[in-house]
């Protein structure tokens, strides 16, 4: 099992350095470094205290220096192994095997004025970690004895799981690729300058003490990597991202088929040994002196830590205003019961080991397993007749609810995937449902909320009040309605692009805000409301124009087909307008596509809206699942219907998107149109096959 110590209490990340500082730049108050060989290794107690106190910092340093070719899983395990075997060998102080370079000691105002930097035990352990990480990146020589760091670590080890840090965004991925192109000493120099805030001279001496040869080249490469920005992000600041934190991990299974093969081979080998008369000693009964196993004993340190309410992660209220990201990871902890440790403990226990009375629901492809570390608290409070807790663990949002009258009785646990969320997708969460109504918890950057009925496009939105924690008043939930007489959506005024302009936590009065964006969110029976958009797949926009609202008024009643499928967003795109035969007006063809949080599982509806003075739903011409049609990858779509004119004549009508054409129909009806619109007379109940041609001549079949 992976031995992860408690979270670092004193490892506060110092301010990231600015542009690279040349080696000859004088720094006021810098103490001279010790001469080689002058520093003695501290006692094991002092070094152990420094290792435990700054464990996450040392593991992050080792993870960054280790070669990326090892893979993320092995880098994580190796980083922990290097740090855990970096203590002095003896119990008493002894001369270091190599010249130990202490951390800098600076006056106030200088770089690197952290408590760790003035700790000789930390300096010794850091130098040992750095030396081993550099050794791990050196190639094995044919006749030379391999160093210990070059071999895979025996411990820590995790059977059946692959562990890797939480995934970051595109900026973190770009930085990881940039670091993979650097040499080991250059990665070490980059990390030491960015994380430890050492000067170039201090980095040069520390690299030399750790066995690096060409320190000047390493410093040059590190300076060049630090100077080139990644988009709008500072590469040095990205080092503190969860992408490079080997103590905040996610887990996935290894190759299950290979494990089964290994299991069969192990059984066969055991049987052969038994036949040969080799007896294998087995342990005694149980884990404790009385043979009774302690359930908590078998849990990993990360899971045990996740069950501690005191270690739940809490984000500062203003963190979202300065963060480069706008998603659930920057939501602050809110709610009047956020400090109720008993409630948080019950919620965490139900998450880790739900009993028979806990009702569990999860969106498709959402794992419902226990947390692998301390989750982030989003909200804890009383909502209607329940006490509700919302957590976020990087991949999922988890909602725990129990009766407010007492802790006894049935509890509910809901899971929903939210990985890859942006400001639009992280605008709100469902915090409670009761009596056909729903309440939302809005993001801290939401400036105001209102309610808009999709079936009444001309009616203005009505204000919706929020409390100081961002919880809205109840509004009718279309996901719980028995009919489609109204479809109330949550309209949020999003101010994430202009942070700090207003107090997003103040109670909402419904006042307008001309500098924000209105977004429509609808309840489809899940924790995360689905965002509604209009426009072509390449550039969908918010439903704001009168024409878009009119189209959605005749589309809303088709949304129940997309309930409880893990829907992230629904886009309705009017891809063609067709003049109807016999001067019956102009029809609109729309493609409505629902994207899911998991990627696969999309649902596509091709819709035919004949002219109408009412908001009657359009006719579904075709539907498909897991189809690329109407999406970013494949925007083309073709659909047809059998339509009857006011004069009583039947026609096969078809429309394709964009430059699709010609369009042909065969079978019970035959006809051809040179463009993307087709209208051919037909008999009632006729059966026909429809297809078209793309500009390059490729056949495009009708959506099905």
């Amino acid at each position: 099992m992976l031995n992860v110590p408690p979270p670092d209490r004193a490892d506060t990340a110092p301010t990231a350095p600015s542009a690279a500082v040349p080696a000859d730049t004088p720094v006021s108050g810098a103490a001279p470094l010790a001469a080689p060989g002058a520093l003695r290794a501290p006692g094991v107690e002092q070094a152990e205290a420094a290792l435990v106190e700054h464990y996450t910092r040392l593991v992050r340093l080792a993870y960054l220096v280790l070669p990326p070719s090892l893979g993320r899983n092995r880098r994580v395990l190796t980083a922990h192994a290097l740090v855990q075997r970096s203590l002095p060998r003896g119990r008493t102080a002894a001369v270091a095997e190599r010249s130990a370079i202490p951390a800098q000691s600076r006056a106030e105002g200088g770089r690197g004025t952290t408590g760790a930097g003035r700790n000789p035990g930390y300096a010794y352990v850091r130098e040992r970690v750095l030396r081993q990480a550099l050794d791990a990146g050196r190639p094995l020589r044919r006749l030379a004895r391999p160093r210990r760091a070059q071999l895979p670590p025996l411990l820590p080890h995790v059977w059946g799981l692959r562990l890797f840090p939480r995934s970051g965004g595109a900026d973190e991925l770009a930085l990881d690729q940039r670091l993979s192109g650097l040499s080991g000493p250059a990665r070490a120099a980059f990390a030491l300058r960015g994380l430890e805030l050492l000067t170039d001279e201090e980095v040069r001496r520390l690299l030399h003490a750790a066995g690096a040869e060409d320190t000047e080249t390493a410093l040059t490469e590190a300076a060049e990597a630090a100077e080139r920005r990644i988009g709008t992000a500072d590469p040095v600041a990205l080092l503190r991202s969860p992408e490079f934190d080997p103590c905040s991990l996610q887990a996935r299974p290894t190759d299950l088929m290979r494990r089964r093969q290994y299991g069969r081979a192990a059984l066969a080998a055991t049987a052969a040994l038994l036949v040969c008369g080799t007896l294998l000693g087995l342990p005694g009964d149980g884990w404790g002196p009385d043979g009774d196993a302690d359930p908590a004993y078998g849990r990993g340190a990360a899971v045990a830590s996740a069950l501690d309410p005191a270690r739940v992660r809490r984000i500062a209220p203003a963190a979202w205003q300065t963060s480069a990201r706008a998603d659930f990871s920057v939501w602050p902890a809110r709610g009047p019961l956020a400090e109720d440790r008993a409630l948080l403990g019950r919620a965490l226990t139900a998450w880790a080991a739900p009993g028979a009375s806990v009702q569990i629901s999860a969106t498709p492809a959402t794992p419902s397993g226990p947390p692998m570390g301390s989750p982030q608290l989003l909200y804890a409070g009383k909502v209607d007749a329940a006490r509700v807790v919302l957590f976020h663990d990087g991949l999922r949002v988890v909602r725990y609810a129990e009766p407010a009258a007492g802790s006894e009785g049935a509890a509910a646990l809901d899971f929903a995937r939210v990985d890859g969320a942006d400001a639009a997708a992280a605008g709100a969460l469902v915090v409670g449902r009761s009596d056909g109504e729903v309440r939302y918890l809005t993001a801290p950057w939401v400036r105001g909320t209102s309610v808009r009925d999709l079936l009444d496009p001309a009616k203005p939105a009505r204000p919706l009040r929020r409390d100081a924690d961002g919880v809205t008043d109840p509004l009718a939930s279309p996901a719980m309605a028995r009919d489609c007489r109204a479809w109330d959506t949550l309209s949020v005024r999003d101010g994430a692009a202009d942070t700090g302009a207003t107090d997003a936590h103040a109670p909402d009065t419904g006042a307008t805000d001309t500098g924000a964006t209105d977004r429509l969110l609808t309840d489809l029976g899940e924790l995360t409301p689905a965002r509604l958009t209009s426009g072509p797949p390449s550039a969908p926009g918010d439903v704001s124009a009168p024409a878009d609202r009119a189209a959605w008024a005749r589309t809303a009643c088709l949304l129940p087909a997309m309930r409880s499928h893990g829907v992230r967003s629904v886009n309705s795109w009017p891809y063609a307008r067709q003049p109807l035969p016999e001067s019956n007006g102009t029809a609109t063809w729309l493609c409505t596509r629902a994207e899911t949080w998991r990627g696969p599982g999309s649902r596509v509806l091709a819709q035919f809206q004949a002219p109408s003075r009412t908001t009657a739903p359009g006719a579904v011409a075709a539907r498909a699942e897991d189809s690329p049609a109407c999406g970013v990858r494949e925007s083309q779509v073709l659909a047809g219907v059998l339509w009857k004119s006011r004069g009583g004549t039947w026609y096969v009508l078809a429309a394709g998107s964009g430059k699709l054409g010609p369009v042909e129909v065969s079978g019970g009806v035959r006809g051809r149109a040179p463009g993307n619109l087709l209208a051919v007379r037909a008999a009632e109940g006729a059966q026909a096959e429809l297809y078209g041609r793309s500009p390059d001549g490729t056949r495009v079949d009708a959506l099905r």
Side-chain angles (χ1 to χ4, degrees):
M1 297 298 292
L2 181 62
N3 182 21
V4 181
D8 194 351
R9 295 166 295 176
D11 190 15
T12 56
T15 304
S18 56
V21 180
D24 57 351
T25 301
V27 181
S28 174
L33 297 177
L39 183 70
R40 290 178 173 270
V44 66
E45 292 84 3
Q46 185 180 8
E48 183 180 12
L51 186 148
V52 172
E53 183 179 4
H54 303 289
Y55 184 84
T56 59
R57 187 173 182 172
L58 292 166
V59 174
R60 188 188 291 259
L61 178 63
Y63 181 84
L64 288 168
V65 177
L66 286 170
S69 59
L70 294 178
R72 300 179 74 189
N73 179 73
R74 185 174 169 188
R75 283 172 70 191
V76 166
L77 298 180
T78 303
H80 284 277
L82 296 185
V83 174
Q84 293 179 11
R85 65 183 184 219
S86 295
L87 295 176
R89 291 189 176 91
R91 300 290 301 179
T92 60
V95 177
E97 296 177 351
R98 298 187 184 182
S99 55
I101 302 298
Q104 70 279 16
S105 176
R106 297 190 174 276
E108 292 295 326
R111 294 172 62 197
T113 59
T114 62
R118 295 187 292 269
N119 187 340
Y122 173 79
Y124 176 83
V125 174
R126 181 182 63 188
E127 190 266 342
R128 293 261 299 178
V129 169
L130 185 61
R131 181 189 305 155
Q132 294 180 85
L134 290 175
D135 288 343
R138 294 187 173 97
L140 292 171
R141 297 183 179 180
R142 184 175 182 181
L143 300 179
R145 186 181 67 178
R147 302 180 183 183
R148 184 181 181 185
Q150 293 176 292
L151 301 176
L154 297 178
L155 293 174
H157 196 80
V158 180
W159 293 101
L161 290 178
R162 298 186 61 83
L163 303 175
F164 49 91
R166 298 177 183 272
S167 299
D171 294 342
E172 287 84 355
L173 178 61
L175 177 59
D176 191 47
Q177 294 174 346
R178 180 180 297 182
L179 292 179
S180 65
L182 301 180
S183 63
R187 287 193 303 273
F190 188 91
L192 290 172
R193 296 170 81 249
L195 295 177
E196 299 296 302
L197 305 184
L198 301 183
T199 64
D200 287 358
E201 181 63 25
E202 292 164 341
V203 172
R204 185 181 295 107
R205 295 195 181 188
L206 185 53
L207 289 178
H208 180 72
E213 298 177 356
D214 193 355
T215 58
E216 294 298 333
T217 302
L219 281 169
T220 302
E221 293 179 9
E224 293 176 353
E227 290 173 353
R228 291 184 290 119
R229 299 184 70 84
I230 299 177
T232 60
D234 182 5
V236 176
L238 292 176
L239 288 178
R240 297 177 182 85
S241 166
E243 175 85 12
F244 308 106
D245 183 9
C247 290
S248 178
L249 301 174
Q250 292 178 325
R252 292 293 183 271
T254 56
D255 190 331
L256 300 180
M257 296 300 297
R258 184 174 298 178
R259 282 167 52 186
R260 294 179 62 183
Q261 295 173 358
Y262 287 168
R264 297 191 188 100
L267 290 175
T270 302
L273 290 176
L274 290 175
V275 171
C276 296
T278 302
L279 299 179
L280 301 178
L282 299 177
D285 297 335
W287 291 340
D290 298 329
D292 295 330
D294 182 3
Y297 184 84
R299 298 189 182 116
V303 176
S305 174
L307 296 180
D308 186 357
R311 294 184 177 179
V312 170
R313 293 187 295 113
R314 300 169 185 266
I315 305 302
W320 65 274
Q321 298 180 1
T322 57
S323 173
R325 302 172 60 178
D327 54 19
F328 294 107
S329 66
V330 294
W331 275 33
R334 291 175 284 177
L337 301 181
E339 302 299 332
D340 188 342
R341 293 195 176 185
L343 172 63
L344 299 182
R346 292 193 299 272
L348 292 170
T349 301
W351 184 358
S357 62
V358 179
Q359 302 176 4
I360 300 176
S361 67
T363 56
T366 301
S368 57
M372 291 306 299
S374 299
Q376 173 190 349
L377 177 64
L378 302 181
Y379 178 83
K382 183 180 177 181
V383 181
D384 296 326
R387 284 189 290 264
V388 175
V389 182
L390 285 173
F391 293 114
H392 176 241
D393 68 350
L395 172 68
R396 304 166 292 179
V397 166
V398 182
R399 177 183 179 270
Y400 169 82
E402 66 179 25
S407 59
E408 300 296 331
L413 203 60
D414 303 317
F415 296 85
R417 284 186 62 168
V418 293
D419 49 320
D422 54 11
L429 288 174
V430 172
V431 71
R433 287 192 184 90
S434 63
D435 300 329
E437 295 180 326
V438 61
R439 292 180 186 263
Y440 295 97
L441 175 67
T442 56
W445 51 82
V446 171
R447 299 181 179 179
T449 54
S450 57
V451 181
R452 183 176 292 278
D453 184 1
L454 282 184
L455 300 187
D456 194 350
K459 185 178 180 180
R462 61 183 187 271
L464 180 65
R465 183 186 174 277
R466 296 182 299 162
D467 63 17
D469 293 315
V471 177
T472 68
D473 284 352
L475 66 152
S477 170
M480 303 173 66
R482 297 181 179 179
D483 51 34
C484 192
R485 297 181 181 179
W487 196 283
D488 286 347
T489 59
L490 175 68
S491 178
V492 298
R493 288 191 293 278
D494 189 348
D498 185 16
T499 59
T502 62
D503 183 4
H505 302 285
D508 191 6
T509 61
T512 59
D513 187 348
T514 57
T517 301
D518 288 343
R519 292 194 172 100
L520 290 187
L521 306 175
T522 187
D523 181 23
L524 291 181
E526 301 168 354
L527 273 178
T528 54
R531 181 190 177 193
L532 303 182
T533 59
S534 295
S538 59
D542 294 300
V543 185
S544 56
D548 296 335
R549 291 175 182 169
W552 265 109
R554 304 186 62 185
T555 304
C557 291
L558 302 178
L559 288 175
M562 302 173 183
R563 289 175 179 169
S564 303
H565 282 82
V567 175
R568 173 174 180 161
S569 63
V570 184
N571 183 58
S572 191
W573 171 39
Y575 68 87
R577 293 178 61 84
Q578 183 177 26
L580 297 176
E582 303 178 14
S583 301
N584 277 223
T586 302
T588 302
W589 292 84
L590 296 96
C591 191
T592 304
R593 179 181 177 88
E595 298 285 0
T596 66
W597 284 97
R598 63 189 183 276
S602 61
R603 294 200 161 198
V604 183
L605 301 177
Q607 186 185 161
F608 174 78
Q609 292 185 357
S612 175
R613 296 180 180 180
T614 67
T615 57
V620 177
R623 65 182 71 215
E625 294 187 16
D626 290 329
S627 171
C630 295
V632 176
R633 294 182 179 273
E634 180 56 71
S635 60
Q636 293 186 129
V637 61
L638 174 63
V641 293
L642 192 62
W643 172 80
K644 183 180 180 181
S645 69
R646 289 194 295 263
T649 305
W650 288 90
Y651 292 86
V652 169
L653 303 179
S657 59
K659 299 180 180 179
L660 189 67
V663 176
E664 300 182 42
V665 61
S666 60
V669 181
R670 292 185 174 274
R672 185 177 187 275
N676 65 327
L677 303 176
L678 177 142
V680 179
R681 287 196 178 190
E684 181 179 0
Q687 300 290 326
E689 181 181 1
L690 185 68
Y691 59 92
R693 299 285 178 181
S694 62
D696 60 0
T698 303
R699 172 170 170 148
V700 177
D701 292 323
L703 184 69
R704 59 170 59 92

